[in-house]
Amino acid sequence: EILPAASQHWTGVAGCDPSGANGFRLIGTLPSEGGAAFVAEGSFTRPRANQKAVLYTYCMVGHNFANNGLVIFEADQVAAHVVYEGGWDESLQALPNIDDDGQSEILIVTGGTRMGESFQRIAIIGLSEKGVRTFGQTESYSGDCESGSVGFQTKTFKGQETTYKLFVKKGSAPAFYRETFVGDCGEPTKWRKSAAAHRIDLENSGKYVRLK
């Protein structure tokens, strides 16, 4: 049920081959390694529902770019299906009803690399019986530790990582806060606080299309 609906939506997208090596798969699943999909449990489309959410990649269309989807299952039936233009999504989590509508919101984690720098971002969405509510996205990690790898390494290179602790104040219009920590590249990273918790505005997280 998922694949035909996604195929109909993404018909004609250049460089999109769901049957290829970088094609359709559940996020977290590596068939060659017998892996399992990441699953979040909650009440996503209505209060007190017993549902499960999974992410999938339909196809990779470029470096750090992909066409992705989110599916809500209830009693082994598809209760909701959302598609969107995303990236290298890694996992998802259920959030405990941050907007007081009685339903679980969904946090989607994505990451990638560019010129030796790594990044991670989170996006938050909520579902209803018919629609999708986007709360926004923000960076959750960045680092340039790989910039000093073989071929570029110099004795003066000192990479650094930055990570964030995120908070939310619940309500019909949730308020988001972020605390910043930095650390020098190495194992294990010794984190030190560089900015106290302060309110932030989440960035636009793009368009999510509800197929079901």
Side-chain angles (χ1 to χ4, degrees):
E1 181 177 350
I2 298 169
L3 188 55
S7 297
Q8 183 175 2
H9 177 79
W10 297 116
T11 297
V13 176
C16 185
D17 180 10
S19 63
N22 294 318
F24 181 76
R25 67 178 181 88
L26 297 181
I27 301 296
T29 295
L30 296 175
S32 61
E33 300 178 6
F38 293 116
V39 178
E41 298 185 0
S43 302
F44 301 109
T45 63
R46 68 181 194 282
R48 296 179 296 280
N50 184 13
Q51 299 173 326
K52 296 180 179 180
V54 298
L55 289 174
Y56 70 83
T57 295
Y58 179 73
C59 62
M60 296 286 187
V61 293
H63 184 73
N64 293 337
F65 293 97
N67 293 331
N68 299 325
L70 167 72
V71 182
I72 307 298
F73 291 98
E74 183 173 358
D76 295 328
Q77 300 296 316
V78 175
H81 186 179
V82 177
V83 293
Y84 59 98
E85 294 181 4
W88 289 354
D89 289 359
E90 300 173 354
S91 62
L92 80 169
Q93 298 179 27
L95 296 182
N97 186 24
I98 64 175
D99 63 353
D100 288 335
D101 66 351
Q103 299 172 196
S104 312
E105 280 70 48
I106 300 171
L107 182 147
I108 300 172
V109 182
T110 189
T113 60
R114 49 176 177 257
M115 300 298 292
E117 296 183 357
S118 301
F119 68 91
Q120 187 181 74
R121 301 185 68 81
I122 60 100
I124 300 174
I125 67 171
L127 303 181
S128 63
E129 287 285 357
K130 299 294 183 182
V132 181
R133 178 181 181 182
T134 59
F135 294 87
Q137 65 174 325
T138 188
E139 186 174 70
S140 55
Y141 167 86
S142 64
D144 61 356
C145 297
E146 298 302 319
S147 295
S149 59
V150 176
F152 299 92
Q153 192 169 11
T154 66
K155 293 182 178 180
T156 58
F157 175 78
K158 293 183 179 180
Q160 190 173 77
E161 298 175 282
T162 302
T163 192
Y164 305 96
K165 189 174 184 179
L166 303 172
F167 307 84
V168 60
K169 183 178 180 180
K170 295 173 63 175
S172 58
F176 296 91
Y177 299 81
R178 188 170 70 183
E179 201 171 24
T180 306
F181 297 83
V182 298
D184 298 326
C185 295
E187 293 292 342
T189 302
K190 295 182 179 179
W191 298 106
R192 54 190 182 274
K193 185 185 295 187
S194 65
H198 61 282
R199 186 167 179 174
I200 62 171
D201 293 323
L202 300 190
E203 303 168 19
N204 188 329
S205 56
K207 184 178 181 181
Y208 293 79
V209 178
R210 185 78 175 261
L211 300 183
K212 180 175 182 178

